[in-house]
Amino acid sequence: MKNIITGTSCYQNCKSGNTVSITGDGGNAWGYFGPSYKKLAPSWKLYEYWRDNPDNLSDMELIEYYIKEYFYHRLDNLNTKELLYEFKERFGENIILLCHELPSDSKNMSKNSFCHRRVDADFIELTTGIVIPEISITEDGGLTYHQQPDYKPMLRKLMK
């Protein structure tokens, strides 16, 4: 099962590999027209709340709100082993899960460095033990790893 997902990335930083979009529109708005798995996309309502922040929450409050809502909407009843089997059946191995947000340059949690693909990666790690790094891949296959904020503590609280 460990070779199913190689990492997560954004459309801009992933120029080759077995890519699969996990955004609501499949990446079309960002010029990506490859395979997609929309079942992991946030709901439009959650995306709008995140984008507009109508309650003027701090970055940390907004991240906590998002993770809680996303968890109950997408992850709470997700069987990650079945998800990985479905990914393998539909997309093969060494998948790179994509969405549009750029990776964070640090471990700081802010709205600008947040992305649901990292919540998915941390959830998969918590439920299977499989670590899924944030990566960039050049057209010739050159691989770079990016340090990302750790959302596992927030997810652990929700999973209890």
Side-chain angles (χ1 to χ4, degrees):
M1 294 297 281
K2 290 189 179 196
N3 292 337
I4 306 274
I5 302 174
T6 297
T8 63
S9 192
C10 65
Y11 305 117
Q12 181 177 327
N13 288 350
C14 193
K15 304 299 182 192
S16 65
N18 185 12
T19 58
V20 176
S21 172
I22 57 171
T23 58
D25 76 341
N28 298 162
W30 294 276
Y32 177 83
F33 298 98
S36 66
Y37 189 82
K38 297 176 185 180
K39 292 178 186 176
L40 288 179
S43 68
W44 182 251
K45 181 179 175 183
L46 179 56
Y47 173 76
E48 284 184 316
Y49 186 89
W50 173 263
R51 181 193 64 205
D52 301 339
N53 192 7
D55 296 319
N56 200 29
L57 301 177
S58 70
D59 280 10
M60 203 57 214
E61 291 169 327
L62 191 59
I63 289 168
E64 288 172 353
Y65 175 85
Y66 187 107
I67 289 174
K68 183 179 110 195
E69 293 298 314
Y70 184 77
F71 175 81
Y72 289 121
H73 185 71
R74 293 285 188 231
L75 303 177
D76 191 25
N77 294 313
L78 180 68
N79 181 319
T80 47
K81 290 182 181 182
E82 288 178 11
L83 174 72
L84 294 175
Y85 283 118
E86 183 178 357
F87 277 173
K88 186 173 183 177
E89 288 294 312
R90 289 183 63 184
F91 308 114
E93 294 187 346
N94 301 310
I95 297 164
I96 303 156
L97 299 177
L98 300 177
C99 66
H100 72 276
E101 291 89 1
L102 290 169
S104 170
D105 289 330
S106 69
K107 289 186 168 189
N108 295 328
M109 289 193 197
S110 71
K111 183 177 181 182
N112 293 334
S113 67
F114 181 81
C115 181
H116 83 284
R117 70 178 179 262
R118 295 307 315 157
V119 175
D120 290 333
D122 282 353
F123 182 77
I124 291 168
E125 180 178 344
L126 285 172
T127 56
T128 67
I130 299 169
V131 177
I132 301 172
E134 178 71 13
I135 59 176
S136 293
I137 300 181
T138 61
E139 287 180 18
D140 63 357
L143 183 67
T144 302
Y145 293 91
H146 300 277
Q147 188 70 32
Q148 291 295 284
D150 182 5
Y151 302 115
K152 290 186 289 296
M154 286 181 236
L155 285 166
R156 279 188 195 102
K157 287 180 187 175
L158 296 167
M159 292 168 72
K160 289 185 177 187

